[in-house]
Amino acid sequence: MRKIITNTFVTLDGIIQAPGGPEEDRAGGFEFGGWSFHYWDDVMGQVMGEGMSQPYDLLLGRKTYDIFAAHWPFIENDPTADQFNACTKYVATQTLKEATWQNTVLLNDDTVAQVKALKASDGIDLQVHGSCDFIQTLLRHNLIDEMNIWIFPLVIGHGKKLFADGTVPSNLKLTKHTVSGTGVIITTYVPDGEIKTGSFALEEPNELEAKRREGIA
């Protein structure tokens, strides 16, 4: 079985829309495109390089695919471009009927069923970059195995969110984290079962007081 791994840039208030540039996604009148640009440093570059050093294929939504296809095929002598151009690009789309970027496979039938079949097949892992609308579909169908979430120290207040309405409630387990010199928290999470609820109001008085002393309650 292949793992589906998402790589997402988010603000402190959960916005994932258009981190790379002003024209990336203006849906809803979004005016802060390119908000991630001035935070990049060597630590972030190193982590990104490590994450992309293993063989992978790409699984992308239509908008992100169009952005990538307009850029990476024309870049030479660049490791990321070489990887993106050589790997297989699976595109979740109901509108794109043909593609000129080499090694592109269109998932434009029953996309969810196609992704499930792809995930169940033998092969290398599938990396999702950007693709904020497509990620909502993956979340609703519990198809994500690992989430790399880069949390940037700013708030925007409106825009498309990573965990939007309709997200399936679940626990996540933090498996890795790094902080860049610019304050970006780079995290990796994996699914960790269903949410378990409880109440401190039901604790025995002595147990509750002990937790208060420990700073838990």
Side-chain angles (χ1 to χ4, degrees):
M1 180 175 288
R2 308 170 77 170
K3 291 197 300 184
I4 294 179
I5 302 170
T6 62
N7 300 275
T8 312
F9 299 163
V10 305
T11 65
L12 284 174
D13 53 344
I15 304 301
I16 60 175
Q17 188 169 350
E23 302 303 324
E24 188 174 312
D25 185 357
R26 290 188 177 274
F30 191 75
E31 68 271 29
F32 294 105
W35 50 262
S36 74
F37 180 81
H38 291 287
Y39 289 93
W40 279 86
D41 67 1
D42 290 341
V43 172
M44 297 169 69
Q46 180 179 350
V47 173
M48 181 65 75
E50 291 172 354
M52 299 177 68
S53 62
Q54 299 300 317
Y56 60 84
D57 287 331
L58 290 173
L59 177 61
L60 304 172
R62 167 67 190 272
K63 290 180 181 178
T64 297
Y65 175 80
D66 285 346
I67 293 169
F68 281 17
H71 176 71
W72 293 112
F74 309 101
I75 303 300
E76 298 180 352
N77 302 317
D78 180 272
T80 299
D82 292 343
Q83 286 179 301
F84 280 2
N85 290 321
C87 76
T88 301
K89 279 75 67 175
Y90 297 96
V91 188
T93 176
Q94 296 298 313
T95 55
L96 187 64
K97 300 305 179 184
E98 59 181 26
T100 58
W101 194 7
Q102 63 187 23
N103 305 322
T104 293
V105 177
L106 303 180
L107 307 178
N108 51 15
D109 292 325
D110 183 339
T111 301
V112 172
Q114 289 177 296
V115 171
K116 288 181 178 179
L118 185 61
K119 178 176 166 63
S121 66
D122 293 330
I124 55 182
D125 291 339
L126 300 158
Q127 287 197 17
V128 181
H129 293 263
S131 308
C132 62
D133 294 329
F134 179 46
I135 284 177
Q136 303 310 311
T137 299
L138 296 176
L139 286 170
R140 284 194 297 272
H141 292 274
N142 291 316
L143 291 172
I144 298 175
D145 298 284
E146 185 175 296
M147 303 188 78
N148 295 314
I149 303 175
W150 299 46
I151 306 167
F152 286 70
L154 75 160
V155 295
I156 293 177
H158 67 92
K160 296 178 181 178
K161 290 193 173 185
L162 174 57
F163 298 109
D165 291 344
T167 298
V168 178
S170 63
N171 280 326
L172 296 174
K173 180 180 180 181
L174 180 67
T175 60
K176 189 187 305 181
H177 70 280
T178 304
V179 181
S180 78
T182 59
V184 178
I185 306 171
I186 307 167
T187 64
T188 299
Y189 292 92
V190 297
D192 194 30
E194 297 180 356
I195 295 175
K196 298 177 182 179
T197 62
S199 173
F200 288 112
L202 300 178
E203 297 279 355
E204 292 294 330
N206 290 340
E207 294 178 356
L208 184 57
E209 180 59 31
K211 288 184 177 181
R212 283 177 177 155
R213 289 197 300 268
E214 295 172 4
I216 298 176

